[in-house]
Amino acid sequence: MVLHDSGERVVPEWVRPTDKMGSMLLEQHRRRYGIASADVRGKKVLDLGCGAGYGAHLLAEAGAAEVTAVDIDSAALSYAAETYAHPVVEYIQQDATEFAPAAQDYDLVTCFEVLEHVGDPAELLRVIRSALKPDGLLMISGCVYPTRDFYRFHLRDYSKLSFRDELAAGGFVVLDQLDQVAVMSAAEVRGTIRRHWRSFPLERFRTNPVKVLRAIVSTQLINGVTHEEAMFTCAVKPDSG
């Protein structure tokens, strides 16, 4: 099965030097996985939404004892198995919200840029909570600025506060927060859109064309984008069950 560029995934081998958005996203992803890898030696890790597999491979190279890497996309996992195979990494095709890990089995769960993509974020957090050992950690990230009106893969928008509220409702306490911000001019956004046109929110445009057009005019012709991501390091609340 061949992995095609839909505009949803960051694949290192696809990022060109002239692709500022792709380069920026890849740098942010690698930094998150780098932080997650800093204290992973000998630990059992669950990587939910592993995509093309480069992050799972980084965790394994950093000394993780086992990495279970889960993604819904069979083509992405075929690419991962071919390009980022590692003896301690197991790639599993599964909707992250339906994954059933052994209870309290993992020292660390990484879940980067997934929560805004799934239909039931509360269920995803329940899966993560059940997977973690009592002293385990969750490292999770997402976009924390409005993107739905120009990016079809995001089902909801988060702010830093609403992301924290989602985590709290899911039974987690935030221990640390990393903010990642990158600014792109309108011209740079236009160049990116030409390369990633498949991410255009066509269905949203059909139902609310004015709102989508306003977002496009703002990002591509006037203001550009201040791309804001946040990564949260979390522990399970003692009373969350």
Side-chain angles (χ1 to χ4, degrees):
M1 186 166 291
V2 178
L3 179 63
H4 297 287
D5 187 1
S6 66
E8 182 179 19
R9 301 189 179 280
V10 178
V11 179
E13 292 73 28
W14 292 354
V15 177
R16 305 171 186 171
T18 55
D19 182 357
K20 181 165 182 178
M21 177 67 83
S23 298
M24 176 268 295
L25 291 173
L26 180 58
E27 179 184 349
Q28 290 184 342
H29 270 287
R30 282 179 167 160
R31 185 178 181 194
R32 289 188 286 267
Y33 275 111
I35 293 170
S37 298
D39 186 28
V40 80
R41 183 165 298 277
K43 294 183 178 179
K44 192 170 183 179
V45 184
L46 174 60
D47 185 23
L48 288 174
C50 67
Y54 60 92
H57 189 269
L58 284 171
L59 292 164
E61 287 289 288
E66 297 179 36
V67 180
T68 305
V70 178
D71 202 277
I72 195 172
D73 189 338
S74 58
L77 289 181
S78 294
Y79 184 92
E82 180 179 340
T83 311
Y84 292 105
H86 193 282
V88 306
V89 177
E90 180 185 12
Y91 291 109
I92 298 175
Q93 183 189 1
Q94 182 78 63
D95 184 327
T97 63
E98 298 173 1
F99 185 61
Q104 299 185 352
D105 200 31
Y106 292 93
D107 301 289
L108 172 66
V109 175
T110 54
C111 186
F112 298 143
E113 312 307 294
V114 179
L115 205 62
E116 60 268 47
H117 289 253
V118 300
D120 190 348
E123 182 60 18
L124 177 59
L125 293 174
R126 186 201 64 76
V127 169
I128 294 170
R129 195 174 66 247
S130 70
L132 278 170
K133 295 177 180 179
D135 60 348
L137 292 177
L138 164 64
M139 292 187 175
I140 187 169
S141 70
C143 280
V144 287
Y145 72 103
T147 57
R148 287 184 72 248
D149 292 332
F150 59 86
Y151 187 67
R152 70 182 176 92
F153 298 106
H154 286 178
L155 304 184
R156 68 191 57 78
D157 289 328
Y158 285 109
S159 65
K160 293 175 188 177
L161 179 59
S162 65
F163 206 108
R164 278 177 167 266
D165 288 343
E166 189 87 78
L167 292 170
F172 291 93
V173 57
V174 174
L175 305 177
D176 193 24
Q177 177 178 326
L178 169 70
D179 296 327
Q180 296 177 294
V181 180
V183 178
M184 296 182 64
S185 70
E188 288 168 336
V189 174
R190 287 197 299 275
T192 293
I193 294 301
R194 282 195 294 271
R195 285 186 288 274
H196 301 292
W197 59 270
R198 295 178 185 86
S199 63
F200 180 78
L202 182 59
E203 292 303 315
R204 218 160 286 147
F205 176 76
R206 287 170 176 162
T207 58
N208 198 335
V210 173
K211 194 173 184 182
V212 172
L213 286 172
R214 282 176 178 166
I216 291 172
V217 168
S218 174
T219 57
Q220 297 185 37
L221 299 178
I222 303 174
N223 299 315
V225 167
T226 299
H227 182 83
E228 295 183 74
E229 303 272 352
M231 183 179 84
F232 303 89
T233 301
C234 309
V236 178
K237 288 181 182 177
D239 59 348
S240 63

